[in-house]
Amino acid sequence: MIIYLPTKQTFTNQKEAKSYFGNHHYRRLVKKGDIYFTNYNHTVANDLIQKNNI
């Protein structure tokens, strides 16, 4: 599950979140720390960024 922290909006996967925000804006939000990943069993493209921000 992916959570957009400012609004607490949830997405079930990255594809859904990227289609909502747009790929470029989504990646900026991940780098900024506004996107939080939870309950995933496989690595995602931004796994290292997320681990550094927690």
Side-chain angles (χ1 to χ4, degrees):
M1 180 181 290
I2 297 171
I3 303 170
Y4 178 52
L5 295 176
T7 62
K8 307 296 187 229
Q9 185 173 7
T10 61
F11 302 94
T12 55
N13 56 36
Q14 282 185 308
K15 185 176 181 180
E16 184 180 328
K18 284 181 181 181
S19 67
Y20 181 80
F21 291 112
N23 191 40
H24 181 72
H25 186 63
Y26 171 81
R27 287 190 289 164
R28 286 191 317 187
L29 291 172
V30 170
K31 285 184 180 182
K32 187 178 173 186
D34 286 344
I35 300 288
Y36 180 74
F37 299 96
T38 181
N39 296 333
Y40 62 88
N41 295 325
H42 60 283
T43 57
V44 293
N46 303 313
D47 194 31
L48 291 175
I49 294 170
Q50 190 62 37
K51 285 182 181 174
N52 290 336
N53 288 335
I54 295 179

